[in-house]
Amino acid sequence: MLTHDEIATLADYLAQTLQTGPVRIENFSRIPGGASRETYRFDAVAADFDGGSRGFILRRDPPDSLIDTERALEFAAYRSFYGRGVPVPEAIALVADESVLGRPFFIMERIDHGASSSPFQPDPFGPHREAIGRDFFSILGAIAAVDPYDTEMPGVVDTPAPEDCWRRELDRWQKVIETDSLEPQPIAMAAIRRLRRNPPQPPPKLAVVHGDYRVGNFLHDGAGRITAILDWEMAHIGDPMEDLAWALDPLWASNPALAAGLLDFEEAIRHWQQASGRRFNAEAFQWWSLFANLKGLAIWISSSKAYHDGKNADPILAFSGWYCATRHNKIIADRLSQTTWGGL
Amino acid sequence: MTPSFAQIMLGAAGAVAAQLGPRLKDDAFAIGQAQIIGLLMVLVAQEADRAADTLSLETVAMRALFAEASESPLPEGLRRRLRAMAESAPPENFTISGLEKIARPMKALLIELHEAVEDRPDEWARPLEAKCWDVLKLGADHRQLFMPGM
């Protein structure tokens, strides 16, 4: 939690950044989720604001995080998609200077009247499941439709050659597994070997990849519309099949018979294709799907290490490092044991 | 043990939900943390009684696999290590940490064996590869956790 002095500093910082008169901060509270950053909500009160106040979200770096990410990257992703048919909050300020709030942070607009839903709820959207599903896959398609060179992303992440997308991502997450594992990981290592033996076809065009697009990382209005896509901290430039495969990982599906627990698979793909203007590549999808299982496992291995080493005592890390790792180990083992010596 | 670990942990989770939860109604962060803590208690309740058993089953299965693989046409150095691991000393105790200490080098050797048989196109290698997966699936299946609705 921020101290009173830090909150006062934040008020002064906002007044300076937004070029308003004096700002007073009210209703400052921490909100759950987002183990990669501490997340707070607050109202900023100033005579210059319409209605006298504006709602904001503050995301501050934690002592350690689930994912070693650059806040500049997440900030750039929000700016890249704001006002472009992808619902995201407006990014307000990015501060790397640790003298302001003790750790780097960024501020974004708060989306009010939006609820988030856990993928582990039995029926997170009730009668609005299909409507949310249509929005979910259409928005993912809209992200894939944007030319990455027409965004701020090339300024903060490297741009791979299309044929190198898979190798770059696999190298990255294999390194995470090798660095953070507290014990041998025979299932993860088998998946890595299988992925290296069967590289996917490259994408015809690169796209911005959200990197964590799934149920649980968006807000919805309770009436079937998605109001904000959040948690862009793993965004990068790559193959859009990667996002689709991650969104469809069985871990996120409350009903595993449906794509992301939301729609029939064919309908989900149809909405994605319509919105993206791209063709679904079933063969590449198979590779990225196994990769999604492995990437999940890598993240949970890192969570486990951060919790074990005492760098971050958030119980969500104990949960993801244990439960989610157990699920992904089984998902991969069930899958790969069906096809020995070779294919995916 | 009476009460059992499961009973203690489920009782504690119930107390978090029924007694602490209602007192946190204005604090979204505290409610979220309490939910996760309660959930962890439910998961510990499932795992506590069986964790040592799962590790024992895994190490027994790995010893059997290593013994069989040590008779295959794999490189002699690997066969020697497989044989040594298959015949290594049994655990000194059946604590989870004691069993994990025994299992860790076995899992590292299992990775090596798995990779070695995957690389061989020979007929004899396929059953061994399948048996590697049997061992891996045994552990993965036994560790599955029931997730209550949140």
Side-chain angles (χ1 to χ4, degrees):
Chain A
M1 194 68 176
L2 270 65
T3 64
H4 288 296
D5 285 349
E6 286 173 330
I7 292 173
T9 304
L10 176 63
D12 292 343
Y13 177 82
L14 270 177
Q16 190 182 350
T17 302
L18 300 175
Q19 298 182 317
T20 68
V23 168
R24 189 174 74 253
I25 288 182
E26 296 182 348
N27 303 318
F28 191 91
S29 64
R30 188 168 177 182
I31 55 177
S36 56
R37 306 223 188 290
E38 294 172 3
T39 307
Y40 302 89
R41 56 175 288 149
F42 62 93
D43 297 318
V45 179
D48 307 69
F49 293 146
D50 286 346
S53 75
R54 284 183 69 181
F56 292 106
I57 293 289
L58 168 71
R59 301 256 283 156
R60 182 169 76 154
D61 282 17
D64 192 14
S65 73
L66 253 179
I67 307 153
D68 183 20
T69 52
E70 295 289 338
R71 76 206 66 80
L73 186 163
E74 186 173 10
F75 192 79
Y78 281 117
R79 284 170 58 100
S80 293
F81 286 94
Y82 184 70
R84 300 183 69 163
V86 175
V88 291
E90 182 183 5
I92 304 293
L94 173 67
V95 183
D97 181 358
E98 296 188 5
S99 69
V100 183
L101 293 182
R103 287 178 235 141
F105 64 95
F106 69 87
I107 297 169
M108 57 188 182
E109 169 198 16
R110 190 175 75 226
I111 306 289
D112 286 323
H113 314 299
S116 63
S117 296
S118 164
F120 304 120
Q121 285 174 284
D123 183 18
F125 307 108
H128 304 298
R129 172 180 56 78
E130 290 188 13
I132 289 286
R134 289 190 288 273
D135 249 17
F136 181 80
F137 287 101
S138 295
I139 293 169
L140 184 56
I143 294 170
V146 170
D147 180 352
Y149 294 103
D150 193 24
T151 72
E152 296 188 12
M153 295 303 289
V156 289
V157 293
D158 65 331
T159 305
E163 61 273 20
D164 288 336
C165 292
W166 71 271
R167 188 182 297 106
R168 190 193 56 174
E169 290 306 305
L170 184 56
D171 286 350
R172 174 187 175 184
W173 292 103
Q174 179 174 349
K175 188 176 176 191
V176 168
I177 290 169
E178 290 171 350
T179 304
D180 289 351
S181 290
L182 297 168
E183 58 186 344
Q185 300 287 342
I187 294 175
M189 299 317 289
I192 289 167
R193 294 192 301 272
R194 197 73 70 94
L195 288 165
R196 289 203 184 280
R197 283 192 177 116
N198 299 276
Q201 295 168 351
K205 284 187 299 184
L206 294 172
V208 174
V209 176
H210 177 286
D212 196 10
Y213 192 95
R214 62 173 173 82
V215 171
N217 277 345
F218 61 77
L219 300 178
H220 62 99
D221 65 1
R225 294 307 304 261
I226 290 176
T227 53
I229 303 296
L230 305 173
D231 292 313
W232 292 74
E233 58 228 25
M234 289 193 283
H236 56 275
I237 296 171
D239 186 335
M241 282 294 123
E242 180 186 348
D243 257 349
L244 198 51
W246 181 254
L248 291 169
D249 190 278
L251 184 64
W252 316 125
S254 54
N255 177 354
L258 299 173
L262 298 170
L263 291 179
D264 288 336
F265 184 82
E266 289 75 14
E267 188 183 358
I269 298 303
R270 192 167 64 247
H271 286 289
W272 181 84
Q273 289 191 142
Q274 272 174 0
S276 66
R278 293 171 181 260
R279 286 190 64 188
F280 174 72
N281 182 330
E283 188 187 324
F285 179 81
Q286 280 296 101
W287 192 94
W288 286 106
S289 170
L290 177 59
F291 171 78
N293 306 153
L294 180 77
K295 173 179 163 180
L297 188 50
I299 293 170
W300 319 137
I301 286 169
S302 280
S303 313
S304 188
K305 180 172 171 56
Y307 192 80
H308 175 271
D309 291 354
K311 289 180 179 171
N312 189 333
D314 193 325
I316 191 69
L317 296 181
F319 170 76
S320 54
W322 177 18
Y323 175 80
C324 297
T326 300
R327 282 284 313 278
H328 264 136
N329 264 317
K330 177 155 170 60
I331 289 166
I332 295 172
D334 285 347
R335 176 178 185 155
L336 293 190
S337 60
Q338 305 295 316
T339 54
T340 55
W341 203 52
L344 297 170
Chain B
M1 179 182 161
T2 308
S4 66
F5 285 129
Q7 198 175 5
I8 292 169
M9 297 312 292
L10 291 174
V16 169
Q19 295 168 27
L20 295 184
R23 294 166 188 264
L24 304 173
K25 60 184 175 184
D26 294 329
D27 189 332
F29 178 72
I31 291 169
Q33 295 299 86
Q35 284 177 335
I36 294 292
I37 291 164
L39 184 57
L40 283 168
M41 291 173 172
V42 172
L43 300 181
V44 170
Q46 296 173 52
E47 187 68 12
D49 195 43
R50 70 182 190 194
D53 186 52
T54 302
L55 278 161
S56 294
L57 289 170
E58 262 182 339
T59 51
V60 166
M62 282 191 280
R63 282 179 199 278
L65 173 60
F66 295 159
E68 182 180 344
S70 72
E71 304 295 325
S72 70
L74 286 164
E76 178 53 33
L78 177 57
R79 287 169 57 199
R80 199 179 315 117
R81 284 186 293 124
L82 288 164
R83 196 175 307 117
M85 191 67 86
E87 296 166 357
S88 60
E92 291 173 5
N93 61 60
F94 288 87
T95 60
I96 294 170
S97 57
L99 289 167
E100 281 180 333
K101 194 174 166 188
I102 295 282
R104 204 164 284 132
M106 287 189 171
K107 287 183 181 176
L109 187 58
L110 178 60
I111 292 173
E112 211 177 323
L113 170 63
H114 199 173
E115 185 171 8
V117 294
E118 276 177 354
D119 279 340
R120 303 293 294 255
D122 313 79
E123 282 290 312
W124 60 263
R126 300 287 69 75
L128 278 179
E129 186 186 359
K131 285 178 182 175
C132 288
W133 279 115
D134 289 344
V135 172
L136 294 174
K137 271 184 57 60
L138 181 146
D141 289 346
H142 276 255
R143 291 191 174 89
Q144 283 314 286
L145 296 157
F146 168 73
M147 170 71 110
M150 288 174 71

